[in-house]
Every structure is written in structure tokens, then in C-alpha cells.
Amino acid sequence: MSSLQNDIRGVLVAVGGGRLLLPNANVAEVISYSEPERLEGAPEWLLGAARWRGWRLPIVSFPQLVGWPSESARLGAKVVVLKALGGNARLPYFAVVSMGFPRLVSVSRERLSVVEDLREQPLGVQARVQLGEDVAVIPDLMILELLIDEALSKAA
């Protein structure tokens, strides 16, 4: 069996302070950034909500969520719409802001390794990894969904 059959398609998303590595199958769409409608009482990392295909899409600043330096400049920013995994009917999609267009990558066992980091990972980060030349984090999407749902409940 060739190693190509074991490769999965991934997406590297540049966010202020780092990169996210996501499965390509999780990405529903990439759209241009426009200022979201602010949600009263929402935490700073929940930038607001935008209309997308009939849904009210919560938009997250991943760097603000995990305490990384964040870029406030939105010039050239994109919104990466992600399919939620938790089965919450109120939250089928959410989005993260990307600094530029995400990059498709091929992820193989040979090219991917966990970076040994003695520091505890911030809430929302599952692992810090090296993919070839790129260092990225794999976000904990289930935790993100729970945090978003909790923030939306308090902001409502």
C-alpha cells in the first residue's frame, strides 16, 4: 500500500501568533472578512456573529481565546467556516478569523510529529505539531464548540 493512501488533506490556517492545522473535511467554506455583529456580553475572543447561508455564524479570534498575541488589522483577513462536530443543532457551524487564505497541505505520518512542549497547552489547543517545515497547533474543536455555546448562552 502506498503512503499516499494514508495521507489526509489538511488546511493550515494562519492566525495571529501561529497556525492551526485542521482536517480539510472540517472546512465548509472560506469567505472574506467583514465586521461581525457584536454580541452584547460576549467574551472578547467571540468577535460577534455574521449571516452565512441562513445561519447566524459565531466568529472566533483563536489567538484571543488561547492568549496569543492577536493582530487587530483585518486587511486581507478571511473567515474560515468550520463544520461543528458536537451535534448541537443550534451550532452546526462556527468560524475562525484567518490572516490570509488558508493553505492546503498533505498530512502523512512521516511528516507529522508532536512537538514536545513542557508547558501546559491552553484550553482549546489539543496538540502542538510539526508538519515538515511548519509548526502548528491542532485545536480542540469539541472544546471550542462548548466554549462558543456557553458564550452564546450568556450573551443571549
Side-chain angles (χ1 to χ4, degrees), residues 70-75:
S70 60
E71 300 170 15
S72 57
R74 302 277 189 239
L75 188 62

Side-chain angles (χ1 to χ4, degrees), residues 13-82:
V13 178
V15 295
R19 288 190 183 102
L20 306 180
L21 177 60
L22 298 163
N24 189 39
N26 244 126
V27 177
E29 191 172 348
V30 178
I31 56 178
S32 293
Y33 179 85
S34 60
E35 202 61 42
E37 170 194 333
R38 188 79 186 125
L39 302 171
E40 202 62 41
E44 288 297 310
W45 55 263
L46 184 56
L47 301 177
R51 293 273 172 218
W52 175 77
R53 297 188 179 195
W55 294 101
R56 195 159 184 241
L57 186 66
I59 299 180
V60 173
S61 167
F62 192 83
Q64 284 182 298
L65 175 71
V66 299
W68 291 348
S70 60
E71 300 170 15
S72 57
R74 302 277 189 239
L75 188 62
K78 302 292 179 196
V79 174
V80 181
V81 180
L82 302 174

Side-chain angles (χ1 to χ4, degrees), residues 8-12 21-25 27 103-107 131:
I8 60 169
R9 298 297 290 163
V11 179
L12 277 175
L21 177 60
L22 298 163
N24 189 39
V27 177
R103 180 167 52 108
L104 282 171
V105 292
S106 185
V107 180
L131 178 66

Side-chain angles (χ1 to χ4, degrees), residues 82-96:
L82 302 174
K83 299 172 193 167
L85 304 172
N88 182 343
R90 294 181 325 225
L91 189 63
Y93 300 96
F94 65 96
V96 295

